[in-house]
Structure formats: C-alpha cells, structure tokens
Amino acid sequence: MKRDIAILIYSRGRESLLARLIDDLDRSYMPALEAGDLSACAFIYAQNYSGAYLDGLRQRHAAAIEAGRLILCEAERPHSCIGEVFVAAADAMHARVDYRLAMLMDDDSLYRADAQVDANLRDTARLFLQKGDRAYSLKLGPARVVEYWPFIDSAGPIMPFKEKMLWVSRAVMEEALAFPAFAALAVGEDVVLAAIAWRGGAQKCFGVFGLGTFLHLGFEPDEESAGLAMGGGYGELVGYDETKQADPELGKYGAAFRGGIVPHTVLPEIFVGPEHPHHTISGIKPEAVAHYGARDTGFSRIDRKAAIGKTPEAG
C-alpha cells in the first residue's frame, strides 16, 4: 500500500486513550491531510490488548480499515524494552506500507482541530515532502502561525526534538532500523531516532511551532481529561510498580537510567554520560553540536514567507 504519510503509534494497555486517539484521527486529523491531497494511514502496533477490545475497534472503524486509512497490527510476541517495540512496530509497518513520511505519535495524544490548524498541518507536511527534509519536531504552544526553528538549541543543554511528535523521512526510519543498538534501548528510542536524523544532515532537521492544538494527556490535561488514569504504556512494559519501586527522581525511567541501555550508551559521541546533570534529559555534548550542526549553512530558522509563500493569520 502506497501512502505519502504513515502515522506510527505503538500502544500498550491504554484502551480508553487509544480509542480516543483513533477517533480523533478518523474525525479530524486524517481528513485534514486528505483535503490537501496527502494520502495517509495510521498504523497501530497494539500490545497487551484483549481480542475483544481489538475486535471492537475493527468493527467501529471498519470503513477506515477498508479504505486503508487504518491498520491495526497486534503484536505477535511480548516485548521487554522500548527499543524492541519500536523495531518490531516499524518492521511490521514497512512490510505493509510504502510511505514517504513517518509521523511518530504518542498513544495519549489528542488533536483539537480548527481550520487554521488543519491548514498548518497540511502546509507543514507538504513542505517536508517537497523539500525532502530528514526530520521535523512538532512543538507545543498556543501560537497558530507556523514557524520553523533549528532542531538543536546550541545554547542549551538538551536536544528539544520531541515535545509532541517527531516526523521523519523513510530514509531516517531505515537508518534507525539498520542501527544495531536500537532494539536494545531501555529508554530513549525517540531520542536516538532524532539523533540519527540530525547527524545524517542537520540542515534538513527542523523544529516546527504553530500546531498548538496537540495535547499530551500526561502533561497538558484539558477539561475533558483532567484526572484521567495514565496506566499502561512504558511503565507496564517494564513492570514498574510505583507502590513497590517508587523512584522520587526518575519514576518508571529509574531502572533504565541507572543500569539500562540509554542514549549515551549507544551514541556516546552525541549524548552526555551519567556524570553529567543532564544525562537523564538526554543532554547533548557541545562538541557534538559543533560537529554536526555548525558545518551546515542551512542550519538556521526558515523564513515562513520564503518557505511557503504566505504567512497564515494567527487564530
């Protein structure tokens, strides 16, 4: 199946959240893309869901499945680390979909659509595909005027690549799958994927502001979801029990950062080590920014008017 865009979501044990996200995709997100002649599909890699639940999703979204807008793929085996989940999900998607752009979306996302946000989504996706960029990182915020900024904040300690969603080219996904250490990652698969994109061509990696109606329920609860339970996900994958393994500093990520395979383990030339205070927020070595970023003349903010030919009005 050929598509311009494949939305990759790997989800574990979050029935109500996943159902809401698929509804948002079907009702608002996919139509916004399709209105711009961008073919798209959502690929759900489902772990630890009952057969009855998945059957219910298939019945509810039968039209989307029949049209190729939605693929529900049940995990064939259990996984023990997040890197393994990513590799299995991406391999399964590659076996079914020939796409140009991958959107990696969290399963606890919400999409609050309106005309301007829909237009921004289409414009950004079109620009990515037209220019052949390697990676975009969507940033949260109330502004609805699309702006493009450097992927890396060279004056800061961290790589601000994924505040909501990471979009990458098919080439970047293939490079990640070919990276031998990826499947062993205990945490930070999105970090390493972004680093692979960045070190392969920093001039083609950008942060995107202006798609501000994305919500991440764990951090920006709205009036509908305040107090919503956030079970499942990574914590369930690693068997984290807050009542028995309470980690006041790192929570469910404590075991990974104290003894697992993390970004610094697999890319020590980019990420700071455990002796650094920014290790647990995927801090980047300044020399890595100098090496991978400074050499690229295009590694700067893109002027919106020059890039698109217009400046959308603020919503």
Side-chain angles (χ1 to χ4, degrees):
M1 185 170 68
K2 289 185 176 292
R3 291 291 184 270
D4 293 318
I5 296 164
I7 302 168
L8 176 60
I9 302 162
Y10 34 93
S11 182
R12 181 183 181 89
R14 288 179 164 175
E15 294 191 357
S16 61
L17 298 178
L18 180 58
R20 282 187 67 171
L21 176 56
I22 294 176
D23 283 344
D24 277 356
L25 291 172
D26 202 35
R27 180 177 59 250
S28 303
Y29 196 82
M30 304 288 273
L33 292 171
E34 291 166 358
D37 293 323
L38 293 164
S39 59
C41 72
F43 187 92
I44 313 294
Y45 186 73
Q47 310 154 74
N48 204 30
Y49 288 107
S50 69
Y53 171 77
L54 294 176
D55 286 344
L57 288 180
R58 293 186 182 101
Q59 292 173 13
R60 182 173 178 176
H61 298 282
I65 293 172
E66 178 66 23
R69 296 192 307 270
L70 175 64
I71 299 173
L72 288 173
C73 176
E74 189 172 0
E76 295 182 354
R77 58 187 174 85
H79 301 295
S80 59
C81 66
I82 194 65
E84 186 180 289
V85 172
F86 170 86
V87 170
D91 278 341
M93 184 171 74
H94 283 194
R96 293 164 174 81
V97 185
D98 180 7
Y99 63 90
R100 299 171 62 197
L101 163 62
M103 293 182 177
L104 280 72
M105 186 183 288
D106 291 338
D107 66 354
D108 58 349
S109 300
L110 293 174
Y111 185 63
R112 293 289 179 256
D114 62 28
Q116 186 60 65
V117 172
D118 290 349
N120 288 352
L121 173 66
R122 288 191 293 270
D123 285 350
T124 303
R126 281 200 205 100
L127 182 63
F128 187 111
L129 294 172
Q130 290 167 3
K131 288 172 57 64
D133 293 333
R134 290 178 60 80
Y136 283 162
S137 172
L138 302 194
K139 307 298 181 181
L140 293 174
R144 297 185 186 181
V145 176
V146 175
E147 297 180 351
Y148 298 84
W149 293 81
F151 211 51
I152 306 298
D153 177 8
S154 59
I158 65 171
M159 185 179 194
F161 47 83
K162 186 174 180 284
E163 291 178 20
K164 178 61 251 166
M165 184 194 304
L166 185 66
W167 297 0
V168 296
S169 67
R170 175 68 183 248
V172 169
M173 288 288 282
E174 290 174 346
E175 289 164 16
L177 291 174
F179 186 57
F182 215 116
L185 282 165
V187 71
E189 84 291 355
D190 52 349
V191 181
V192 174
L193 177 60
I196 287 172
W198 167 55
R199 72 175 184 175
Q203 78 280 9
K204 289 185 175 291
C205 299
F206 298 97
V208 184
F209 292 77
L211 298 177
T213 60
F214 283 98
L215 295 176
H216 188 294
L217 297 186
F219 300 97
E220 299 92 22
D222 65 359
E223 65 278 2
E224 296 178 34
S225 58
L228 190 65
M230 291 292 293
Y234 179 83
E236 182 180 87
L237 173 69
V238 298
Y240 180 73
D241 184 342
E242 189 171 0
T243 63
K244 299 177 181 178
Q245 304 162 286
D247 188 316
E249 182 183 358
L250 297 174
K252 60 189 178 184
Y253 302 110
F257 277 108
R258 293 192 170 93
I261 299 177
V262 296
H264 169 74
T265 313
V266 299
L267 290 174
E269 71 274 20
I270 293 180
F271 298 103
V272 297
E275 73 287 346
H276 195 284
H278 295 126
H279 172 61
T280 58
I281 52 173
S282 305
I284 295 178
K285 293 182 175 180
E287 56 267 35
V289 176
H291 177 73
Y292 291 109
R295 67 184 182 184
D296 296 307
T297 58
F299 191 54
S300 59
R301 179 179 176 181
I302 299 178
D303 179 72
R304 169 69 176 172
K305 191 173 291 186
I308 297 290
K310 62 179 181 178
T311 302
E313 296 178 0

